[in-house]
Amino acid sequence: MKVPRISEAVVRRLPVYLRYLNSLQALHVRTVSSQQLGEALDLNPAQIRKDLACFGEFGRKGIGYEVNYLIEKIKSILKLDQKINVVLIGAGHLGHAISNYNAYLKDNMRITAIFDADPGKVGKKIVGLTIQALSTLSETVKEMNIRIAIIAVPAEAAQAVADELMRCGITGILNFAPVNIRVIEGVRVHDADVTMELHSLAYYL
Amino acid sequence: MKVPRISEAVVRRLPVYLRYLNSLQALHVRTVSSQQLGEALDLNPAQIRKDLACFGEFGRKGIGYEVNYLIEKIKSILKLDQKINVVLIGAGHLGHAISNYNAYLKDNMRITAIFDADPGKVGKKIVGLTIQALSTLSETVKEMNIRIAIIAVPAEAAQAVADELMRCGITGILNFAPVNIRVIEGVRVHDADVTMELHSLAYYL
DNA sequence: TAGATTGTTAATCGATTAACAATC
DNA sequence: TAGATTGTTAATCGATTAACAATC
């Protein structure tokens, strides 16, 4: 296995491939070529082949890629073949909405704990999970071996939450708060700020 | 004004600059250098200068950038100096959560209409907006001169909603549904699929 | 076999970074 | 003036695309 240096662009496309392959699987499609993938996803077929070739030889010359096999391979690359527990901080409307994605995450990745600062919310349930007080965050993260966190709290609270998460050893953060979060070396933040997405979309009008 | 060919990467960074500049403005900071911006945002100062130079000469040699002035300039580039009305499709938890971002959008960009397919929801209010039936979508989009749409409906309904939006003349879509949306030439889609973000985050664990 | 399609090398294209003259 | 910092050119780096031998 040669894993020299995978670019961020490649990693961002893998879930795109996976999502589309899942839809092919649901339609009982057996094999797919880079040509077909490229047309469906608006990508260059050579790029798709090159992306996949970063991780091994998954296709067959003259045939293409076997859908089921390629799904398994991509899942394995994304570590979705192991159990990955996710914690959600913030049980407002956004937190509720995000917890609904559990249905799509299926597999091994799941939101397994929800926290909120509001004592009025603690003890209530969202999709089967009891909202917990932030004071027990560290304990739960360790107990459940939680590795990824989703921040869905107001902008003002986001940095403090991130700091606490880093103290608990979290190394991946999906941040919905409309602020820059400062993190220490080794922690990765993906921004999911609706404001920024809309602002960049406006440029193209 | 020389606007040769602005890369997507540049457009995606502009809202990042804007967000940070707004926070500086709130702290009454008057000027900022590309050096300082680079440190705060983890970007190369030369890149920041080059990004901004795509659109004009906004800084002063030896001084840096005047915060208020740069904010105005970036807003103007992103067309945030004009009124941009946004429609939200889907009034579930996610729709509720997204409509709360109106508070951060402030300025000229606002969600001005909300639609839902569920007759039980039509007529109810979210943050001051009455949920409307999808049958009146086309009418409202034209009347309000709505240009951007947010799709916050279940995966199964997303493509049909997108098709209808394109018929209404929408050219920018922010898609929260975990599916590939196919669009016609000239329509831009930004994906905000929580599933994909979490999957790519998992790679780095 | 002939046609299709991969994996990979080479060519192209574009984006990032470095360096520096201009100038506040 | 001396120090700081821009805007911009040139150098570097990396990513995308084209092309094709290998082979199913």
Side-chain angles (χ1 to χ4, degrees):
Chain A
M1 216 196 303
K2 51 174 170 180
V3 184
R5 198 88 193 100
I6 307 302
S7 85
E8 205 163 322
V10 174
V11 175
R12 290 208 156 275
R13 282 192 293 269
L14 292 176
V16 177
Y17 301 151
L18 182 57
R19 193 172 66 171
Y20 183 65
L21 288 165
N22 278 327
S23 76
L24 289 182
Q25 190 178 50
L27 297 169
H28 305 294
V29 176
R30 300 295 270 277
T31 63
V32 66
S33 68
S34 59
Q35 174 79 33
Q36 293 170 307
L37 283 170
E39 271 164 32
L41 302 173
D42 253 313
L43 294 169
N44 184 301
Q47 181 171 66
I48 295 173
R49 293 200 299 278
K50 207 157 199 290
D51 282 358
L52 297 174
C54 290
F55 305 98
E57 306 199 356
F58 303 146
R60 291 213 297 165
K61 295 185 172 85
I63 310 285
Y65 299 91
E66 213 247 297
V67 173
N68 291 342
Y69 180 72
L70 190 52
I71 287 176
E72 286 317 306
K73 283 300 177 185
I74 294 179
K75 278 187 186 169
S76 147
I77 294 162
L78 293 173
K79 303 198 179 67
L80 301 175
D81 56 347
Q82 6 175 322
K83 195 147 190 59
I84 298 182
N85 291 335
V86 177
V87 62
L88 169 62
I89 319 289
H93 278 298
L94 186 54
H96 264 77
I98 292 167
S99 54
N100 288 330
Y101 278 91
N102 246 351
Y104 295 107
L105 288 170
K106 54 192 170 193
D107 306 311
N108 288 314
M109 183 182 260
R110 293 204 76 80
I111 296 167
T112 53
I114 302 181
F115 289 83
D116 200 288
D118 178 1
K121 282 182 183 151
V122 173
K124 294 192 176 163
K125 284 205 168 191
I126 299 184
V127 291
L129 295 169
T130 304
I131 300 171
Q132 303 178 57
L134 275 169
S135 54
T136 62
L137 178 63
S138 166
E139 200 184 325
T140 302
V141 166
K142 275 158 205 163
E143 253 174 35
M144 289 188 150
N145 187 31
I146 291 173
R147 318 180 44 196
I148 289 180
I150 303 174
I151 295 182
V153 302
E156 312 79 63
Q159 183 63 57
V161 166
D163 291 342
E164 177 62 14
L165 286 166
M166 288 187 282
R167 269 193 294 274
C168 299
I170 290 285
T171 57
I173 295 176
L174 179 54
N175 174 39
F176 281 86
V179 285
N180 280 298
I181 282 186
R182 303 289 302 166
V183 293
I184 56 176
E185 182 77 27
V187 175
R188 203 175 166 83
V189 178
H190 283 194
D191 253 290
D193 179 358
V194 175
T195 310
M196 289 209 304
E197 289 294 342
L198 288 174
H199 283 179
S200 61
L201 211 42
Y203 175 82
Y204 296 98
L205 288 177
Chain B
M1 216 196 301
K2 47 169 175 185
V3 185
R5 197 88 192 101
I6 307 301
S7 85
E8 204 163 323
V10 173
V11 175
R12 289 207 157 274
R13 282 192 294 267
L14 292 176
V16 177
Y17 301 151
L18 182 58
R19 192 172 65 170
Y20 184 66
L21 288 164
N22 278 327
S23 77
L24 289 182
Q25 191 179 50
L27 297 170
H28 305 294
V29 175
R30 300 296 270 277
T31 63
V32 66
S33 68
S34 59
Q35 174 79 34
Q36 293 171 308
L37 284 171
E39 271 165 32
L41 302 173
D42 254 313
L43 294 170
N44 184 301
Q47 180 171 66
I48 295 173
R49 293 200 299 279
K50 206 155 199 292
D51 282 357
L52 297 174
C54 290
F55 305 98
E57 306 197 358
F58 303 146
R60 292 212 298 163
K61 295 183 170 85
I63 310 285
Y65 300 91
E66 213 248 297
V67 172
N68 291 341
Y69 180 72
L70 190 53
I71 286 175
E72 287 316 308
K73 283 300 176 185
I74 294 179
K75 278 188 186 169
S76 147
I77 295 161
L78 293 174
K79 303 199 180 67
L80 301 175
D81 56 347
Q82 7 174 322
K83 197 148 187 59
I84 298 181
N85 291 335
V86 178
V87 62
L88 169 62
I89 319 289
H93 278 299
L94 186 54
H96 264 77
I98 292 168
S99 53
N100 287 331
Y101 278 91
N102 247 351
Y104 295 106
L105 289 170
K106 54 190 170 196
D107 308 310
N108 288 313
M109 184 181 261
R110 292 205 76 78
I111 296 167
T112 54
I114 302 180
F115 290 82
D116 201 288
D118 179 1
K121 281 182 183 153
V122 173
K124 294 192 174 165
K125 285 204 166 193
I126 298 183
V127 291
L129 295 169
T130 304
I131 300 170
Q132 302 178 56
L134 275 170
S135 55
T136 63
L137 178 63
S138 166
E139 201 184 323
T140 302
V141 166
K142 274 157 205 165
E143 254 174 33
M144 288 188 152
N145 185 32
I146 291 173
R147 332 210 356 223
I148 289 179
I150 304 173
I151 295 182
V153 302
E156 312 80 61
Q159 184 63 58
V161 166
D163 291 342
E164 177 62 14
L165 287 166
M166 288 187 280
R167 272 194 292 275
C168 299
I170 289 285
T171 57
I173 294 176
L174 179 53
N175 175 39
F176 281 85
V179 285
N180 279 298
I181 283 186
R182 302 290 302 166
V183 293
I184 56 176
E185 182 78 28
V187 175
R188 202 174 166 83
V189 178
H190 283 195
D191 253 290
D193 178 359
V194 175
T195 310
M196 288 208 305
E197 289 295 342
L198 288 174
H199 283 178
S200 62
L201 210 43
Y203 175 83
Y204 296 99
L205 287 176

